[in-house]
């Protein structure tokens, strides 16, 4: 053993023994005091907490007994006539198509009305109707005052039916199926027992409410009238607070449990998900945790109302209070290690004083060891740092004949070998860098070529997908929209062939007119498809020429009015629009015919359509406004796509091409198109077109033309 090691060992042993003895004595004294203090706090906390929980349970029991008393009192009273019962029943409830009796939909406000759900096999007789109406009256009277403080009361009647209120789940009666089977559930077996009826309150384990996802415990009180079981009154208690408080405590290191006398857990700091997943049937003695099983055995063997003790398996001190009412036990645990930790924290001053003493000893020792050990080590450290910074000539200048001298000599030999190896590595690294550079250039070029090929493939794939969608939409259009007029033509021609001689001339003329309308409809649809095809293949060009815009607009209004048999009047307004403009008449016809045709087609009969044109700078702004069905907000982003139609106009014939044609024609004319639409209120389409008329000015004597 070297001299420095022997010196350090002797000093450490001496000082360590002194510090250990003093610390052990102090620690034991502090531990006993902390243990007595914390156990007193633990018992006081359990007592206060149990009183608070019992107050809640007493309120639940008192409220349920109050409701039961009111119900039995009213059932013993005089009954209204069968007619009055039926009238009140029909005013509040109805039989749904699935066979279940439920409250009418207008009573969905869970903070104002109680609601009914009756199984489709429930026998709706006069006695049951009277019981349900009595229960409904009681719930409606209690609901305003209890909605926030006691939010659920419901009657469970044999057969089975459920009438009550719970503002947290106002729509449960309409969401529950008519054949809902709850006979195997714990709450149902407590509410409608098959054998002996309980005399007091019955409590379930923890269940998760399907709608709100809140952990619930249900409690039921039976109703008997003259020895006859009428059903049970229930209440759902939200135990989220209990579960949350089980995970935190005002006492450091303390945890809480709430469990039933049979070991089923109600609240646990880490097993909340398991409790809910097992529907409240997770037992302490069967959960696979030996500490919980040991605690249950220790607690269940004591019959006192409040008691405390120590469990050697789980190594915790505990305090228990039996909660009157649901027969639950509130268990608070403090780990023994927590007491040790507190005792050690209180005894730290002894450790610190020992450390100070040790520091003084080490200062003295350091003065002695500095000359013998520190200086040689500094020489070695300096040489090591120089070598790590890339200086291969660094050497340790230590001339001694002890261990440090041997270490310095070994270091110098190692430094010489490292310098030789470093020279060889540098040469190898240079060669490797050259190879990597060549390979990197090759990979970069290959990646660029691969990216270009991928972009081209994606572009072709997108184009192919777009063509496929257009093909699918076109086939759907032909199979759906063309079928109706073809069937009309086929039916009309068949009638003419069979009954031509027996038909009156007026009837034959009517059938011919029907055929003409169907043919005209097919021709219009084909015209839209052909126009779209020409627009997409750039076969339609912009060919401006001088034309009379006022006269064109009047003719178009007359044509649309005639084509729609005067279904909706078109009101034309020409404000400051010059007679002569420079425009493409074919494009204007496509634009105005489609906009006016759509406005008339999707408007109620006789509802006027506004067609307003005004001059704005070097443009003419055209507005087509209707009060029709409007465009749903979800469809407005796709309104200019081919074959797309609004979801609210599927019953009205159309191709879904008109607005796309309008958009293409407006673009060819160098204009812009915008629209505003509200479903159920109508639409306004605004088109701004540069219709230049250099030699024409608005007629000051004709500010408007209205029809």
């Amino acid at each position: 053993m070297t001299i420095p090691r022997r010196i350090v060992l002797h000093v450490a042993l001496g000082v360590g023994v002194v510090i250990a003895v003093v610390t052990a004595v102090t620690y034991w004294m502090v531990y006993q005091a902390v243990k007595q203090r914390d156990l007193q706090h633990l018992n006081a906390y359990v007592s206060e907490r149990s009183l608070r929980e019992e107050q809640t349970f007493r309120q639940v029991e008192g409220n349920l007994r109050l409701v039961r008393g009111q119900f039995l009192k009213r059932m013993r009273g005089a009954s209204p006539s069968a007619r009055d019962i039926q009238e009140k029943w029909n005013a509040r409830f109805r039989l749904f198509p699935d066979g279940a009796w439920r409250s009418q939909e207008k009573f969905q406000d869970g903070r104002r009305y109680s609601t009914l759900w009756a199984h489709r096999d429930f026998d709706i007789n006069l006695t049951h109707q009277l019981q349900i109406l009595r229960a409904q009256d009681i719930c409606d009277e209690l609901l305003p005052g209890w909605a926030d403080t006691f939010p659920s009361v419901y009657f469970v009647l044999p057969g089975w039916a459920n009438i009550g209120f719970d503002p947290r789940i106002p729509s449960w009666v309409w969401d529950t199926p008519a054949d809902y089977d709850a006979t195997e559930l714990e709450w149902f077996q407590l509410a409608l027992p098959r054998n002996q009826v309980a005399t007091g309150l019955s409590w379930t384990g923890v269940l998760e409410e399907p709608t709100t996802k809140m952990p619930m415990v249900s409690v039921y009180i039976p109703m008997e009238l003259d020895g006859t079981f009428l059903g049970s009154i229930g209440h759902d208690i939200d135990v989220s607070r209990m579960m949350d408080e089980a995970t935190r405590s005002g006492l450091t290191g303390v945890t809480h449990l709430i469990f039933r006398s049979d070991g089923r857990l109600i609240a646990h700091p880490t097993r909340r998900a398991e409790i809910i997943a097992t529907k409240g049937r997770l037992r302490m003695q069967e959960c696979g945790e030996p500490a919980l099983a040991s605690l249950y055995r220790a607690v269940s063997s004591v019959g006192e109302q409040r008691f405390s003790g120590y469990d050697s398996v789980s190594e915790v001190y505990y305090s228990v209070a039996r909660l009157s009412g649901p027969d639950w036990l509130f268990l608070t645990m403090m780990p023994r290690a927590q007491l040790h930790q507190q005792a050690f924290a209180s005894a730290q001053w002894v450790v610190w004083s020992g450390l100070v003493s040790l520091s003084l000893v080490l200062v003295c020792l350091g003065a002695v060891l500095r000359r013998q050990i520190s200086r040689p080590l500094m020489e070695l450290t300096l040489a090591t740092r120089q070598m790590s910074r890339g200086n291969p000539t660094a050497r340790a200048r230590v001339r001694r004949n002890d261990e440090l001298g041997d270490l310095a000599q070994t270091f110098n030999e190692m430094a010489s070998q490292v310098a030789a190896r470093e020279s060889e590595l540098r040469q190898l690294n240079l060669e490797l860098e050259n190879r990597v550079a060549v390979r990197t250039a090759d990979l970069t070029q290959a990646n660029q070529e691969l990216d270009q090929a991928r972009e081209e493939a994606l572009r072709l794939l997108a184009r192919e997908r777009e063509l496929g969608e257009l093909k699918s939409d076109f086939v759907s259009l032909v199979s759906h929209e063309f079928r109706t007029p073809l069937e009309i033509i086929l039916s009309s021609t068949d009638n003419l062939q069979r009954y031509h001689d027996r038909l009156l001339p007026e009837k034959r003329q009517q059938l011919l007119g029907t055929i003409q309308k169907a043919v005209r409809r097919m021709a219009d649809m084909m015209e839209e498809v052909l126009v779209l095809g020409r627009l997409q293949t750039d076969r339609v060009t912009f060919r401006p020429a001088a034309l009379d815009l006022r006269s064109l607009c009047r003719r178009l209004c007359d044509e649309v009015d005639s084509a729609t048999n005067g279904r909706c009047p078109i009101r034309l307004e020409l404000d400051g629009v010059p007679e002569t403009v420079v425009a493409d008449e074919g494009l204007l016809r496509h634009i105005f015919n489609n906009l006016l045709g759509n406005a008339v087609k999707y408007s109620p009969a006789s509802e006027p359509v506004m067609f307003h044109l005004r001059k704005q700078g070097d443009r003419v702004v055209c507005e087509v406004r209707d009060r029709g069905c409007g465009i749903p907000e979800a469809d407005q982003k796709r309104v200019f796509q081919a074959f797309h139609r609004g979801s609210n106009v599927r019953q009205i014939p159309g191709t879904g091409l008109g607005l796309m044609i309008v958009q293409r024609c407006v673009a060819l004319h160098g204009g812009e198109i915008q629209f505003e639409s509200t479903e159920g209120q109508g639409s306004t389409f605004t088109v701004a077109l540069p219709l230049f008329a250099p030699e024409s000015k608005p007629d000051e004597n004709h500010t408007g033309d209205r029809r």
Side-chain angles (χ1 to χ4, degrees):
M1 181 181 291
T2 62
I3 295 176
R5 184 176 298 175
R6 185 165 55 248
I7 295 173
V8 171
L9 180 60
H10 288 172
V11 172
L13 286 175
V15 177
V17 168
V18 174
I19 294 176
V21 171
V22 175
T23 302
V25 173
T26 305
Y27 172 80
W28 177 252
M29 296 174 61
V30 173
Y31 174 77
Q32 295 299 325
V34 169
K35 173 183 174 182
Q36 183 177 4
R37 181 199 64 190
D38 286 356
L39 289 180
Q40 290 177 352
H41 290 173
L42 198 66
N43 292 330
Y45 177 84
V46 170
S47 178
E48 295 174 1
R49 177 75 179 274
S50 63
L51 290 176
R52 185 180 67 180
E53 300 299 344
E54 287 175 348
Q55 182 178 2
T56 300
F57 300 145
R58 284 194 293 269
Q59 179 190 9
V60 171
E61 182 175 2
N63 289 347
L64 291 181
R65 291 188 182 277
L66 171 65
V67 175
R68 182 177 68 175
Q70 287 290 321
F71 179 77
L72 295 178
K73 178 180 178 181
R74 299 189 186 191
M75 290 302 298
R76 291 190 181 98
S79 300
S81 65
R83 180 179 179 182
D84 292 340
I85 293 175
Q86 195 61 44
E87 288 180 355
K88 190 173 181 181
W89 179 271
N90 293 335
R92 195 66 182 263
F93 313 116
R94 74 179 182 90
L95 181 63
F96 279 67
D98 59 1
W101 281 92
R102 298 184 179 91
S103 297
Q104 298 181 21
E105 291 85 343
K106 62 183 178 181
F107 299 107
Q108 287 190 5
D109 189 349
R111 300 186 68 84
R112 296 177 58 192
Y113 305 108
S114 57
T115 51
L116 165 72
W117 177 90
H119 196 276
R120 66 181 182 185
D121 296 332
F122 183 68
D123 182 17
I124 302 295
N125 53 42
L126 192 61
T127 301
H128 286 161
Q129 288 178 325
L130 179 59
Q131 291 175 356
I132 291 173
L133 291 174
R134 296 290 197 205
Q136 172 200 286
D137 292 338
I138 294 173
C139 291
D140 287 346
E141 293 170 6
L142 297 176
L143 179 56
W146 285 7
D148 296 316
T149 59
F150 201 74
S152 74
V153 172
Y154 52 92
F155 292 74
V156 183
L157 305 180
W160 60 291
N162 193 315
I163 173 74
F165 64 83
D166 192 338
R168 298 168 297 188
I169 47 174
S171 63
W172 76 272
V173 299
W174 297 278
D175 298 336
T176 303
D179 57 351
Y180 177 51
D181 184 10
T183 55
E184 300 301 324
L185 299 181
E186 181 184 16
W187 70 265
F188 188 88
Q189 296 171 359
L190 293 178
L192 300 176
R194 298 175 181 175
N195 300 316
Q196 184 177 0
V197 178
T199 58
L201 273 66
S202 301
W203 299 74
T204 69
V206 178
L207 300 173
E208 184 179 59
E209 202 288 315
T211 303
T212 61
K213 303 301 181 182
M214 293 187 302
M216 294 286 189
V217 169
S218 299
V219 55
Y220 297 93
I221 185 170
M223 301 182 297
E224 288 186 330
L225 182 62
D226 299 331
T228 302
F229 177 67
L230 301 182
S232 297
I233 303 173
H235 171 67
D236 295 333
I237 302 176
D238 181 5
V239 293
S240 299
R241 177 183 60 81
M242 294 184 184
M243 290 188 163
D244 292 340
E245 290 184 354
T247 63
R248 61 178 185 272
S249 172
L251 302 176
T252 306
V254 173
T255 56
H256 313 297
L257 296 180
I258 300 177
F259 60 95
R260 296 176 21 151
S261 58
D262 59 359
R264 291 170 61 181
L265 286 169
I266 302 298
H268 188 280
T270 61
R271 291 179 175 266
R272 176 172 179 169
E274 294 179 61
I275 294 173
I276 294 176
T278 59
K279 299 182 179 180
R281 299 185 181 275
L282 181 64
R283 300 178 186 271
M284 296 174 64
Q285 61 271 36
E286 300 172 358
C287 66
E289 187 174 339
L292 285 180
S294 177
L295 278 171
Y296 175 73
R297 289 192 297 270
V299 171
S300 60
S301 62
V302 181
E304 299 177 11
Q305 191 69 15
R306 289 183 174 84
F307 56 93
S308 59
Y310 175 74
D311 181 58
S312 58
V313 175
S314 57
E315 295 185 342
V316 297
Y317 291 93
Y318 61 84
S319 181
V320 181
R322 294 186 182 274
L323 305 178
S324 59
D327 193 23
W328 293 354
L329 289 91
F330 180 78
L331 171 65
T332 298
M333 302 173 293
M334 175 178 288
R336 184 181 180 184
Q338 177 69 21
L339 297 178
H340 286 293
Q341 183 178 359
Q342 294 184 28
F344 181 77
S346 300
Q348 283 184 354
W349 66 272
V350 178
V351 178
W352 287 112
S353 63
L355 293 176
V356 171
S357 301
L358 181 60
S359 299
L360 294 175
V361 174
L362 292 178
V363 168
C364 297
L365 184 63
V368 177
L369 298 179
R370 182 181 303 171
R371 180 179 181 84
Q372 299 297 324
I373 297 176
S374 297
R375 289 181 181 176
L377 288 177
M378 290 178 61
E379 288 290 337
L380 284 171
T381 302
L382 179 61
T384 304
R385 289 177 179 174
Q386 291 177 351
M387 178 169 250
S388 65
R389 292 172 183 171
N391 183 7
T393 62
R395 298 293 183 272
R397 298 179 179 84
V398 178
R399 300 290 185 269
R400 297 180 58 162
N401 295 323
D402 53 14
E403 293 88 344
L404 292 177
D406 295 339
L407 179 62
Q409 183 178 358
T410 303
F411 173 82
N412 292 335
E413 293 175 356
M414 180 190 68
S416 300
Q417 295 176 1
V418 168
R421 294 286 180 86
E422 184 178 359
S423 177
E424 296 176 0
L425 287 175
R426 286 178 181 174
Q427 183 64 30
L428 291 174
N429 286 339
L430 182 60
E431 296 177 359
L432 182 60
E433 288 177 358
N434 293 334
R435 294 180 183 178
V436 170
V438 174
R439 293 293 179 87
T440 301
D442 295 340
L443 287 174
T444 301
Q445 183 178 0
N447 285 336
Q448 291 177 351
E449 295 175 355
L450 182 60
D451 290 341
Q452 293 175 357
R454 183 177 60 185
E455 291 176 359
E456 180 65 19
L458 290 175
R459 185 184 65 80
L460 294 176
L461 180 61
R463 180 60 178 171
E464 182 179 354
R465 186 180 297 123
E466 180 182 0
L467 292 175
E469 291 177 356
L470 288 175
K471 178 181 178 181
S472 176
D473 292 339
F474 180 74
V475 171
S476 176
L477 167 70
V478 171
S479 63
H480 183 269
E481 296 297 336
F482 279 33
R483 181 173 57 191
T484 300
L486 286 174
E487 289 177 351
I488 293 174
I489 294 172
L490 181 62
S491 176
S492 299
T493 54
D494 184 62
N495 287 335
L496 287 173
Q497 287 177 351
R498 291 186 178 185
Y499 310 109
H500 181 273
D501 296 335
R502 286 180 286 175
L503 291 175
L504 295 176
E506 295 80 1
K507 184 64 177 179
R508 290 198 297 270
Q509 190 63 30
Q510 181 182 357
L511 291 174
L512 290 174
T514 302
I515 294 173
Q516 289 178 348
K517 290 181 180 179
V519 171
R520 188 181 303 111
R521 177 179 170 187
M522 292 181 62
D524 292 341
M525 288 190 289
M526 288 303 302
E527 177 63 20
E528 289 185 348
V529 173
L530 292 174
V531 169
L532 178 63
R534 291 197 299 270
L535 288 170
Q536 289 183 331
T537 55
D538 298 330
R539 287 183 290 167
V540 177
T541 58
F542 177 52
R543 298 178 180 177
L547 58 88
D548 187 344
L549 181 60
R550 292 173 175 266
S551 176
L552 175 62
C553 290
R554 295 188 187 100
R555 291 197 307 272
L556 292 176
C557 289
D558 292 338
E559 292 174 4
V560 174
D561 186 67
S562 175
T564 59
N565 296 322
R567 185 172 184 273
C568 296
I570 300 175
R571 297 180 180 176
L572 174 64
E573 296 183 4
L574 302 169
D575 292 341
V577 177
E579 290 187 358
T580 303
V581 297
V582 178
D584 188 322
E585 181 176 352
L587 296 180
L588 292 183
R589 279 185 171 275
H590 287 310
I591 295 170
F592 295 153
N593 271 334
N594 277 291
L595 292 180
L596 291 173
N598 283 350
V600 172
K601 178 164 58 175
Y602 299 125
S603 295
S606 303
E607 187 70 34
V609 173
M610 305 303 298
F611 185 22
H612 177 230
L613 287 85
R614 68 179 185 276
K615 187 174 185 300
Q616 187 179 66
D618 59 353
R619 294 187 171 195
V620 171
V621 178
C622 313
E623 291 184 358
V624 177
R625 183 169 64 254
D626 64 72
R627 298 178 183 174
C629 58
I631 304 172
E633 185 176 356
D635 295 321
Q636 293 185 11
K637 295 182 180 180
R638 302 180 58 195
V639 73
F640 293 111
Q641 293 183 7
F643 304 107
H644 180 76
R645 306 189 68 214
S647 59
N648 59 342
V649 296
R650 300 293 170 81
Q651 73 281 3
I652 302 175
T655 62
L657 298 175
L659 289 179
M660 183 176 184
I661 292 174
V662 170
Q663 185 189 43
R664 295 290 180 88
C665 291
V666 169
L668 281 175
H669 218 293
E672 299 175 352
I673 182 170
Q674 298 176 347
F675 75 94
E676 297 178 356
S677 182
T678 302
E679 187 175 4
Q681 298 182 13
S683 305
T684 300
F685 281 82
T686 304
V687 177
L689 299 173
L691 308 182
F692 301 99
E695 299 179 358
S696 177
K697 296 181 180 180
D699 190 347
E700 301 296 337
N701 297 325
H702 296 83
T703 59
D705 184 1
R706 304 176 184 270
R707 46 183 298 138

PDB file of all heavy atoms in Angstrom, residues 500-513:
ATOM      1  N   HIS A 500    -102.106   5.466 -80.766  1.00  0.00           N
ATOM      2  CA  HIS A 500    -102.106   6.652 -81.628  1.00  0.00           C
ATOM      3  C   HIS A 500    -103.505   6.955 -82.121  1.00  0.00           C
ATOM      4  O   HIS A 500    -103.969   8.116 -82.113  1.00  0.00           O
ATOM      5  CB  HIS A 500    -101.139   6.422 -82.801  1.00  0.00           C
ATOM      6  CG  HIS A 500    -101.060   7.616 -83.731  1.00  0.00           C
ATOM      7  ND1 HIS A 500    -101.931   7.800 -84.781  1.00  0.00           N
ATOM      8  CD2 HIS A 500    -100.205   8.669 -83.729  1.00  0.00           C
ATOM      9  CE1 HIS A 500    -101.621   8.909 -85.401  1.00  0.00           C
ATOM     10  NE2 HIS A 500    -100.570   9.466 -84.784  1.00  0.00           N
ATOM     11  N   ASP A 501    -104.230   5.951 -82.579  1.00  0.00           N
ATOM     12  CA  ASP A 501    -105.565   6.197 -83.165  1.00  0.00           C
ATOM     13  C   ASP A 501    -106.577   6.573 -82.104  1.00  0.00           C
ATOM     14  O   ASP A 501    -107.569   7.273 -82.386  1.00  0.00           O
ATOM     15  CB  ASP A 501    -106.041   4.943 -83.908  1.00  0.00           C
ATOM     16  CG  ASP A 501    -105.133   4.630 -85.098  1.00  0.00           C
ATOM     17  OD1 ASP A 501    -104.490   5.584 -85.608  1.00  0.00           O
ATOM     18  OD2 ASP A 501    -105.034   3.452 -85.496  1.00  0.00           O
ATOM     19  N   ARG A 502    -106.387   6.102 -80.877  1.00  0.00           N
ATOM     20  CA  ARG A 502    -107.369   6.388 -79.833  1.00  0.00           C
ATOM     21  C   ARG A 502    -107.064   7.666 -79.062  1.00  0.00           C
ATOM     22  O   ARG A 502    -107.887   8.125 -78.282  1.00  0.00           O
ATOM     23  CB  ARG A 502    -107.408   5.215 -78.848  1.00  0.00           C
ATOM     24  CG  ARG A 502    -108.105   3.999 -79.438  1.00  0.00           C
ATOM     25  CD  ARG A 502    -108.131   2.875 -78.434  1.00  0.00           C
ATOM     26  NE  ARG A 502    -106.793   2.271 -78.298  1.00  0.00           N
ATOM     27  CZ  ARG A 502    -106.514   1.323 -77.400  1.00  0.00           C
ATOM     28  NH1 ARG A 502    -107.443   0.924 -76.556  1.00  0.00           N
ATOM     29  NH2 ARG A 502    -105.299   0.806 -77.335  1.00  0.00           N
ATOM     30  N   LEU A 503    -105.880   8.228 -79.233  1.00  0.00           N
ATOM     31  CA  LEU A 503    -105.524   9.441 -78.491  1.00  0.00           C
ATOM     32  C   LEU A 503    -106.131  10.670 -79.157  1.00  0.00           C
ATOM     33  O   LEU A 503    -106.188  10.777 -80.385  1.00  0.00           O
ATOM     34  CB  LEU A 503    -104.009   9.613 -78.428  1.00  0.00           C
ATOM     35  CG  LEU A 503    -103.257   8.585 -77.570  1.00  0.00           C
ATOM     36  CD1 LEU A 503    -101.747   8.806 -77.713  1.00  0.00           C
ATOM     37  CD2 LEU A 503    -103.678   8.717 -76.127  1.00  0.00           C
ATOM     38  N   LEU A 504    -106.571  11.597 -78.339  1.00  0.00           N
ATOM     39  CA  LEU A 504    -107.056  12.875 -78.848  1.00  0.00           C
ATOM     40  C   LEU A 504    -105.877  13.659 -79.431  1.00  0.00           C
ATOM     41  O   LEU A 504    -104.725  13.491 -79.025  1.00  0.00           O
ATOM     42  CB  LEU A 504    -107.701  13.678 -77.714  1.00  0.00           C
ATOM     43  CG  LEU A 504    -108.985  13.050 -77.112  1.00  0.00           C
ATOM     44  CD1 LEU A 504    -109.450  13.889 -75.937  1.00  0.00           C
ATOM     45  CD2 LEU A 504    -110.079  12.942 -78.173  1.00  0.00           C
ATOM     46  N   PRO A 505    -106.152  14.529 -80.356  1.00  0.00           N
ATOM     47  CA  PRO A 505    -105.052  15.325 -80.948  1.00  0.00           C
ATOM     48  C   PRO A 505    -104.289  16.108 -79.882  1.00  0.00           C
ATOM     49  O   PRO A 505    -103.078  16.244 -79.976  1.00  0.00           O
ATOM     50  CB  PRO A 505    -105.787  16.240 -81.929  1.00  0.00           C
ATOM     51  CG  PRO A 505    -107.041  15.501 -82.281  1.00  0.00           C
ATOM     52  CD  PRO A 505    -107.443  14.749 -81.067  1.00  0.00           C
ATOM     53  N   GLU A 506    -105.042  16.649 -78.904  1.00  0.00           N
ATOM     54  CA  GLU A 506    -104.338  17.419 -77.864  1.00  0.00           C
ATOM     55  C   GLU A 506    -103.370  16.518 -77.087  1.00  0.00           C
ATOM     56  O   GLU A 506    -102.258  16.937 -76.729  1.00  0.00           O
ATOM     57  CB  GLU A 506    -105.349  18.057 -76.892  1.00  0.00           C
ATOM     58  CG  GLU A 506    -106.251  19.090 -77.525  1.00  0.00           C
ATOM     59  CD  GLU A 506    -107.435  18.470 -78.298  1.00  0.00           C
ATOM     60  OE1 GLU A 506    -107.520  17.212 -78.302  1.00  0.00           O
ATOM     61  OE2 GLU A 506    -108.202  19.225 -78.916  1.00  0.00           O
ATOM     62  N   LYS A 507    -103.811  15.256 -76.794  1.00  0.00           N
ATOM     63  CA  LYS A 507    -102.950  14.339 -76.051  1.00  0.00           C
ATOM     64  C   LYS A 507    -101.726  13.950 -76.882  1.00  0.00           C
ATOM     65  O   LYS A 507    -100.604  13.872 -76.366  1.00  0.00           O
ATOM     66  CB  LYS A 507    -103.753  13.088 -75.666  1.00  0.00           C
ATOM     67  CG  LYS A 507    -102.961  12.108 -74.809  1.00  0.00           C
ATOM     68  CD  LYS A 507    -102.595  12.724 -73.494  1.00  0.00           C
ATOM     69  CE  LYS A 507    -101.871  11.740 -72.594  1.00  0.00           C
ATOM     70  NZ  LYS A 507    -101.489  12.325 -71.305  1.00  0.00           N
ATOM     71  N   ARG A 508    -101.953  13.711 -78.212  1.00  0.00           N
ATOM     72  CA  ARG A 508    -100.794  13.384 -79.061  1.00  0.00           C
ATOM     73  C   ARG A 508     -99.823  14.560 -79.103  1.00  0.00           C
ATOM     74  O   ARG A 508     -98.603  14.384 -79.074  1.00  0.00           O
ATOM     75  CB  ARG A 508    -101.280  13.032 -80.480  1.00  0.00           C
ATOM     76  CG  ARG A 508    -102.026  11.694 -80.544  1.00  0.00           C
ATOM     77  CD  ARG A 508    -102.099  11.195 -81.976  1.00  0.00           C
ATOM     78  NE  ARG A 508    -102.834  12.069 -82.863  1.00  0.00           N
ATOM     79  CZ  ARG A 508    -104.143  11.978 -83.097  1.00  0.00           C
ATOM     80  NH1 ARG A 508    -104.848  11.024 -82.514  1.00  0.00           N
ATOM     81  NH2 ARG A 508    -104.756  12.820 -83.890  1.00  0.00           N
ATOM     82  N   GLN A 509    -100.415  15.787 -79.171  1.00  0.00           N
ATOM     83  CA  GLN A 509     -99.549  16.964 -79.213  1.00  0.00           C
ATOM     84  C   GLN A 509     -98.761  17.103 -77.895  1.00  0.00           C
ATOM     85  O   GLN A 509     -97.594  17.491 -77.891  1.00  0.00           O
ATOM     86  CB  GLN A 509    -100.397  18.228 -79.448  1.00  0.00           C
ATOM     87  CG  GLN A 509     -99.546  19.470 -79.747  1.00  0.00           C
ATOM     88  CD  GLN A 509     -98.755  19.323 -81.038  1.00  0.00           C
ATOM     89  OE1 GLN A 509     -99.166  18.635 -81.972  1.00  0.00           O
ATOM     90  NE2 GLN A 509     -97.577  19.947 -81.095  1.00  0.00           N
ATOM     91  N   GLN A 510     -99.421  16.752 -76.776  1.00  0.00           N
ATOM     92  CA  GLN A 510     -98.756  16.818 -75.472  1.00  0.00           C
ATOM     93  C   GLN A 510     -97.594  15.826 -75.401  1.00  0.00           C
ATOM     94  O   GLN A 510     -96.506  16.146 -74.907  1.00  0.00           O
ATOM     95  CB  GLN A 510     -99.762  16.537 -74.356  1.00  0.00           C
ATOM     96  CG  GLN A 510     -99.152  16.602 -72.958  1.00  0.00           C
ATOM     97  CD  GLN A 510    -100.158  16.266 -71.877  1.00  0.00           C
ATOM     98  OE1 GLN A 510    -101.322  16.038 -72.175  1.00  0.00           O
ATOM     99  NE2 GLN A 510     -99.711  16.253 -70.650  1.00  0.00           N
ATOM    100  N   LEU A 511     -97.809  14.596 -75.913  1.00  0.00           N
ATOM    101  CA  LEU A 511     -96.730  13.606 -75.903  1.00  0.00           C
ATOM    102  C   LEU A 511     -95.576  14.035 -76.795  1.00  0.00           C
ATOM    103  O   LEU A 511     -94.397  13.849 -76.466  1.00  0.00           O
ATOM    104  CB  LEU A 511     -97.265  12.244 -76.341  1.00  0.00           C
ATOM    105  CG  LEU A 511     -98.234  11.551 -75.365  1.00  0.00           C
ATOM    106  CD1 LEU A 511     -98.802  10.287 -75.992  1.00  0.00           C
ATOM    107  CD2 LEU A 511     -97.517  11.231 -74.071  1.00  0.00           C
ATOM    108  N   LEU A 512     -95.906  14.630 -77.951  1.00  0.00           N
ATOM    109  CA  LEU A 512     -94.834  15.120 -78.834  1.00  0.00           C
ATOM    110  C   LEU A 512     -94.066  16.247 -78.159  1.00  0.00           C
ATOM    111  O   LEU A 512     -92.841  16.343 -78.281  1.00  0.00           O
ATOM    112  CB  LEU A 512     -95.447  15.591 -80.164  1.00  0.00           C
ATOM    113  CG  LEU A 512     -96.010  14.475 -81.072  1.00  0.00           C
ATOM    114  CD1 LEU A 512     -96.725  15.079 -82.273  1.00  0.00           C
ATOM    115  CD2 LEU A 512     -94.887  13.548 -81.538  1.00  0.00           C
ATOM    116  N   GLY A 513     -94.794  17.116 -77.454  1.00  0.00           N
ATOM    117  CA  GLY A 513     -94.107  18.191 -76.739  1.00  0.00           C
ATOM    118  C   GLY A 513     -93.186  17.632 -75.661  1.00  0.00           C
ATOM    119  O   GLY A 513     -92.089  18.152 -75.431  1.00  0.00           O
TER     120      GLY A 513
END
